[in-house]
Amino acid sequence: MKTILRVSLVLATTALGSSAWAAEGAAATEPAAAPAVEAKAEPSATAETKTVEATAPDTKPAETKPADAPPAAPVQVPKLVEGAPLGNANVSVNIVQKKIHENEGRHELVLYPAVLQINGKFTQHYGVGLMYAYHLRETLAISLMPIWNYWNQESDFNQELIDKGHQQAQAATALLLQYGGVASVEMSPIYGKFALYEGTLVHFALVLGGGLGAGSTRIQLRPQQVANCGPGTDTPECRSASFGDTGFKMLTTFNVGFRVMLGERAAIRLEIRDLIYTARVNQINGCSYEDLYSLSTGGNPVSGSCPANGGFATTDDRQLAMSLLKETSSDVINNVSFFAGFSFLF
């Protein structure tokens, strides 16, 4: 019996010891696992908190306007005035416009119905001109221009010298240009535009040129007689002016002017041209002074270029030509003229 009790006591003690050891092991392992539990729980709690804050409804009461508050003024959008956002409709804005035409590769035909000499001292010239130009580049062109002066006579000033002072200009100084032609090179170094009539833009170009050519010249022998003539006077008939041919002379020309465009194809051209020609008078109608002197004495012309009668209508004209050739004269004449015309480009 005692033996059975001892065995039971030993077993009970062993069981209690095992339970104690198990409790200490559990207590020892429980603190180490706590941080992991806390680390895992913290993000979950934070996410839940943010979710709650993000999804929480706005409980702030909406602001209400007083019943007697005036309505808000409408927003005014500025209107477009000629392409600019200006609020003032009275303001006009001009913008830079593209060049409306191109010159390169185009042909130009110019008619000058008015050609007026502006530096006439001993001579007067009125005529017409025609020009053809081909534009090699936008600012470079070559041209050909014939000129015809349908009115070419000595000036009233020279006629006054003859009537009152019995003097007249030398033959070379009063040489007249009948017709001629020049070949020129033109440049347009400046192009621009200006406003006309509150918004209409006019395009223009400055034209500079120069060239060479030849022209037919003549000299006035007898002036036109319109006074102290007619029935009842010493001169029964009024006479027209008479002239003698002085041959072809070399021409040099320089010009400056403006070409004002009227659309894409039409233009107005206003120019000043200086026609320069050498004026040496040693023959009239192909006759020299020696030829005319021989004819006046009943002989024949000395040179073969002089006609049998000198080519003069009257003996007086031949005597006047001989007096002009008695002293050979030479000069360089600047025939400065104003050219006004219009052109067509194609």
Side-chain angles (χ1 to χ4, degrees), residues 71-138:
V75 178
Q76 295 183 355
V77 180
K79 298 181 180 179
L80 292 179
V81 180
E82 295 191 10
L86 301 177
N88 189 355
N90 295 323
V91 177
S92 177
V93 177
N94 292 326
I95 62 175
V96 177
Q97 294 188 2
K98 185 181 178 180
K99 190 176 180 180
I100 62 175
H101 67 281
E102 294 182 358
N103 295 327
E104 185 174 353
R106 302 181 74 181
H107 306 268
E108 184 176 6
L109 190 62
V110 188
L111 175 63
Y112 296 99
V115 178
L116 311 175
Q117 184 181 3
I118 59 177
N119 70 330
K121 183 178 181 181
F122 299 113
T123 61
Q124 291 178 340
H125 292 83
Y126 304 102
V128 295
L130 183 67
M131 185 179 73
Y132 164 77
Y134 177 71
H135 295 268
L136 299 172
R137 296 288 185 269
E138 193 67 21

Side-chain angles (χ1 to χ4, degrees), residues 219-231:
I219 187 72
Q220 181 172 309
L221 302 176
R222 183 182 64 248
Q224 182 180 6
Q225 185 178 6
V226 294
N228 300 325
C229 60

Side-chain angles (χ1 to χ4, degrees), residues 11-240:
L11 293 174
T13 304
T14 303
L16 291 174
S18 298
S19 301
W21 281 104
E24 290 179 2
T29 57
E30 185 176 356
V37 173
E38 293 177 0
K40 291 179 181 180
E42 184 177 356
S44 177
T46 305
E48 291 177 0
T49 305
K50 291 183 178 180
T51 303
V52 171
E53 293 177 357
T55 57
D58 188 7
T59 58
K60 184 178 179 180
E63 296 181 358
T64 58
K65 297 182 180 180
D68 56 349
V75 178
Q76 295 183 355
V77 180
K79 298 181 180 179
L80 292 179
V81 180
E82 295 191 10
L86 301 177
N88 189 355
N90 295 323
V91 177
S92 177
V93 177
N94 292 326
I95 62 175
V96 177
Q97 294 188 2
K98 185 181 178 180
K99 190 176 180 180
I100 62 175
H101 67 281
E102 294 182 358
N103 295 327
E104 185 174 353
R106 302 181 74 181
H107 306 268
E108 184 176 6
L109 190 62
V110 188
L111 175 63
Y112 296 99
V115 178
L116 311 175
Q117 184 181 3
I118 59 177
N119 70 330
K121 183 178 181 181
F122 299 113
T123 61
Q124 291 178 340
H125 292 83
Y126 304 102
V128 295
L130 183 67
M131 185 179 73
Y132 164 77
Y134 177 71
H135 295 268
L136 299 172
R137 296 288 185 269
E138 193 67 21
T139 59
L140 180 65
I142 55 176
S143 64
L144 295 173
M145 182 176 67
I147 305 171
W148 174 51
N149 291 317
Y150 55 83
W151 177 272
N152 54 97
Q153 294 187 9
E154 291 183 355
S155 65
D156 295 337
F157 172 71
N158 196 36
Q159 183 62 41
E160 187 177 358
L161 288 177
I162 297 173
D163 294 339
K164 297 181 179 179
H166 303 287
Q167 298 290 332
Q168 68 177 18
Q170 291 185 342
T173 306
L175 202 64
L176 303 170
L177 178 63
Q178 298 184 83
Y179 58 87
V182 292
S184 305
V185 177
E186 289 190 345
M187 297 185 64
S188 301
I190 299 177
Y191 164 81
K193 60 183 78 70
F194 59 89
L196 184 66
Y197 293 113
E198 299 182 357
T200 302
L201 291 180
V202 178
H203 298 255
F204 71 93
L206 175 67
V207 179
L208 304 176
L212 297 174
S216 174
T217 60
R218 67 178 184 176
I219 187 72
Q220 181 172 309
L221 302 176
R222 183 182 64 248
Q224 182 180 6
Q225 185 178 6
V226 294
N228 300 325
C229 60
T233 63
D234 296 337
T235 307
E237 296 182 359
C238 295
R239 298 180 299 180
S240 60

Side-chain angles (χ1 to χ4, degrees), residues 5 8 32 39 50 82 122 144 165 247 263 269 272-273:
L5 293 174
S8 299
K50 291 183 178 180
E82 295 191 10
F122 299 113
L144 295 173
R269 295 189 65 136
I272 299 294
R273 287 181 177 266

